[in-house]
Amino acid sequence: MLDIKNVHAYYGNIEALHGVDLSVGSKEIVAIVGSNGAGKTTLLRSISGLITKTGAISYNGEAIDKRSPRHIAKAGLIHVPEGRHVFPGLTVEENLAVGSVSWRGIGKANLGDDLEKVFYLFARLKERRKQYAWSLSGGEQQMLAIGRAIMGRPKLLMLDEPSMGLAPIVIDELFVKIVEINSMGVPILLVEQNALLAMSISQRAYILEGGKVVLEGNSKDLLNDVRVREAYLGKLKDSA
Ligand code: ATP
């Protein structure tokens, strides 16, 4: 459903992606893995229309590479940026309302089913619905950022480093929810530095280095690939 061909992306005169090809199928979780500065965030920004780029990006056959970020989000490609970016001075419920209002143009009075869906997924958000976002823990803020995206009824959810800065137990809880969202019919493009985690929940993965895809394939096969184990799964190798 999402098809990316030969994408080059630029920050001013600096080329940050050098001809990336990637696809995401309608039921998949696809991981993008790579070290700092590999270009993972830049790739998500390219899909969302937030950066200057060349190449072809289509979604369900429609070219979106010349479309505005607003059009792309309204078409259902919803991006949860690195660092969460919840609105600290709004309550949990108000942050969720922003997801509907901004992405789907739905008034606050008509949030019903979507709100219930988010609260079903993240019971903790329901308990804290009247609490200001600034007062939430890091894990709860990440849940809120994903919940806000769910309010936009995503047809493709793009998650940038959802595990960043969270304790292992919170990460495990969050990743169970990511799999659950996917099983509800939402394909997911997941950017992660934590390669083991990303590959353990995805069907396929792309490894990005220096703005290029250097390896791609079935996640299970990549987990067993000696190059991947040496470069990205050092801890796993040591403990094996
Ligand atoms: P990280 O996990 O550290 O965020 P990443 O894989 O997401 O890494 P990007 O943030 O996409 O990497 O960065 C890719 C390249 O683009 C890097 O060389 C980075 O320095 C450069 N870059 C990123 N943002 C900007 C910017 N605003 N201006 C100039 N160069 C940038």
Side-chain angles (χ1 to χ4, degrees):
M1 60 180 294
L2 179 74
D3 206 17
I4 299 179
K5 290 221 165 21
N6 195 26
V7 164
H8 295 248
Y10 303 87
Y11 293 100
N13 294 327
I14 300 166
E15 185 172 315
L17 292 181
H18 313 291
V20 171
D21 294 347
L22 176 146
S23 67
V24 182
S26 60
K27 297 196 166 78
E28 283 188 303
I29 299 181
V30 172
I32 305 173
V33 169
S35 47
N36 278 331
K40 305 180 298 297
T41 295
T42 304
L43 184 53
L44 292 194
R45 284 191 189 137
S46 302
I47 299 166
S48 298
L50 298 170
I51 183 170
T52 307
K53 63 186 178 291
T54 61
I57 305 181
S58 66
Y59 170 68
N60 281 344
E62 183 203 352
I64 56 164
D65 43 79
K66 306 277 187 300
R67 297 294 198 162
S68 66
R70 182 179 164 81
H71 177 99
I72 293 166
K74 283 202 150 194
L77 287 86
I78 299 189
H79 184 159
V80 179
E82 184 176 341
R84 297 145 204 162
H85 299 281
V86 295
F87 297 103
L90 298 183
T91 64
V92 164
E93 210 164 60
E94 286 165 347
N95 267 277
L96 294 172
V98 170
S100 285
V101 175
S102 57
W103 284 312
R104 292 198 297 121
I106 305 292
K108 211 179 158 188
N110 300 315
L111 302 179
D113 291 352
D114 295 313
L115 208 51
E116 283 316 310
K117 192 195 263 183
V118 172
F119 288 155
Y120 166 78
L121 269 168
F122 299 115
R124 204 100 54 83
L125 294 182
K126 187 171 187 176
E127 288 163 22
R128 288 161 172 62
R129 62 200 292 171
K130 303 287 179 208
Q131 213 169 299
Y132 287 115
W134 62 259
S135 68
L136 301 177
S137 69
E140 290 161 356
Q141 288 191 18
Q142 185 64 64
M143 289 172 196
L144 182 55
I146 295 175
R148 186 176 57 189
I150 302 286
M151 295 298 287
R153 296 191 186 170
K155 296 192 179 126
L156 173 77
L157 191 57
M158 294 179 272
L159 302 177
D160 196 347
E161 302 272 6
S163 76
M164 186 182 273
L166 303 181
I169 190 168
V170 180
I171 295 174
D172 289 347
E173 192 185 339
L174 190 67
F175 273 61
V176 166
K177 298 299 179 183
I178 293 173
V179 172
E180 197 174 337
I181 292 166
N182 175 249
S183 67
M184 290 170 153
V186 182
I188 293 176
L189 183 56
L190 170 68
V191 159
E192 260 297 334
Q193 270 192 44
N194 187 330
L196 176 58
L197 192 62
M199 289 190 209
S200 60
I201 69 156
S202 58
Q203 287 82 47
R204 289 188 304 117
Y206 292 80
I207 297 185
L208 217 56
E209 280 310 325
K212 286 184 182 158
V213 174
V214 292
L215 263 180
E216 62 177 280
N218 181 295
S219 299
K220 282 203 184 93
D221 296 340
L222 288 174
L223 273 173
N224 291 319
D225 186 301
V226 71
R227 292 163 296 178
V228 176
R229 290 173 75 90
E230 281 179 3
Y232 301 99
L233 304 174
K235 282 187 195 146
L236 183 74
K237 193 180 62 172
D238 293 344
S239 63

